Amino acid sequence: MNETISLCYHGVSPSWPDAMAVTQQQLHSQVAWFMRRGYRPVTVREAARPGGGKRLAITFDDALLSVHELALPVLERLGAIATVYAPSVPIAEQTPMAWPEVARHLQTEHARELEPMTAGQLRAVAAQGWEVGSHTRTHPWLPRVADDGELRHELEGSKRELEALLELELATLAYPFGAHDERVAAATAAAGYEAAVTLPVRVPAWPAQPSAHELMRLPRIGVYRVDEWRRFRVKVARPVRLLRASSLWDLVRRG
Ligand SMILES: [Zn+2]
């Protein structure tokens, strides 16, 4: 069987009650479950290319410090690799993630959860076979960036800045919040990315031989703290994935 599945995580934390963070136990059992079923962990760059077998592209958006501290040891133990999507400005300036959707956490005891990985940590995971991709410069909703020059700066600028900082080539991008439209996808391709990943409500199957159009819209399944074992199993079960790919999903959600 040929099948590729991509999971989208953010942070890993034993105590942060936010949807963005799973526990180490959740991450371990979820990845181990796929690996027991013969899925081979690959980077998004590899998953975007035609290839056989069962492939699992694990991704972490935002390049939070907890990915290095807590996710990396879990994946090392499992012999798995992942792709981490870094916003270039917080990484370069070593400032916490502070866009409006997460800034409220900075006033709480969980503020440290928004600390970024360091450039050295990103270089180190890349040396272990992980992929580092771009998550733009400042993590805006890209479709709302009306100015073309500003949009290009978020896409090209983040690639250029991270490539210089990390001495790596960046090949793929994750749209912040998964948000994209025709204009954003076209600008992403024009900025030199081979592929880009999304976070759709309706998750289509990962294309076996992606077209140029599909390469800028590769779908991931978001995994959150509420995804306890049973819920996760239901979420990734093939019939549910097929259902989520169809228009029936809207009816189910409404029901
Ligand atoms: Zn993000």
Side-chain angles (χ1 to χ4, degrees):
M1 185 179 68
N2 290 337
E3 183 173 64
T4 300
I5 290 179
S6 183
L7 303 178
C8 171
Y9 295 95
H10 291 80
V12 179
S13 170
S15 56
W16 190 24
D18 192 77
M20 279 174 71
V22 296
T23 64
Q24 279 186 307
Q25 289 75 13
Q26 280 176 300
L27 179 66
H28 183 277
S29 55
Q30 292 164 357
V31 172
W33 183 80
F34 275 104
M35 292 181 73
R36 279 200 305 277
R37 272 151 193 80
Y39 287 82
R40 184 171 57 90
V42 296
T43 61
V44 168
R45 190 179 197 179
E46 181 178 344
R49 294 169 179 169
K54 292 153 83 171
R55 302 184 297 183
L56 176 68
I58 304 160
T59 68
F60 294 93
D61 282 11
D62 304 344
L64 298 167
L65 185 58
S66 67
V67 172
H68 188 264
E69 290 184 343
L70 299 176
L72 177 63
V74 167
L75 297 192
E76 273 179 335
R77 210 153 60 229
L78 290 167
I81 53 167
T83 301
V84 58
Y85 285 108
S88 63
V89 169
I91 298 298
E93 297 180 355
Q94 286 295 290
T95 48
M97 309 295 155
W99 45 89
E101 292 79 1
V102 297
R104 66 196 148 90
H105 298 294
L106 293 173
Q107 319 311 327
T108 72
E109 62 189 299
H110 302 292
R112 190 170 178 277
E113 303 289 356
L114 298 180
E115 294 289 322
M117 286 173 72
T118 66
Q121 289 166 347
L122 287 166
R123 273 193 293 262
V125 295
Q128 288 183 241
W130 286 40
E131 178 181 354
V132 179
S134 167
H135 203 33
T136 73
R137 297 185 74 250
T138 64
H139 205 281
W141 280 81
L142 291 172
R144 295 182 196 157
V145 177
D147 182 77
D148 287 340
E150 199 185 324
L151 176 62
R152 194 164 49 237
H153 188 43
E154 285 288 345
L155 297 166
E156 284 180 19
S158 62
K159 183 167 164 35
R160 196 174 50 241
E161 289 158 15
L162 287 170
E163 285 180 342
L165 183 67
L166 305 177
E167 297 170 316
L168 293 171
E169 189 199 343
L170 267 69
T172 72
L173 171 133
Y175 302 114
F177 315 102
H180 63 287
D181 56 16
E182 290 299 325
R183 172 175 157 266
V184 167
T188 302
Y193 293 98
E194 290 175 21
V197 289
T198 65
L199 206 45
V201 172
R202 200 189 281 174
V203 185
W206 187 281
Q209 307 242 1
S211 64
H213 182 268
E214 288 169 330
L215 278 173
M216 292 300 134
R217 295 162 178 82
L218 293 171
R220 299 177 298 171
I221 300 172
V223 185
Y224 304 100
R225 199 170 194 85
V226 291
D227 291 314
E228 292 305 335
W229 188 238
R230 266 193 54 197
R231 193 182 149 108
F232 175 78
R233 288 285 309 277
V234 168
K235 195 172 206 172
V236 299
R238 179 186 292 267
V240 177
R241 283 189 282 113
L242 292 176
L243 174 63
R244 284 185 74 165
S246 79
S247 53
L248 274 176
W249 183 247
D250 294 335
L251 292 174
V252 173
R253 278 164 54 87
R254 256 181 259 139

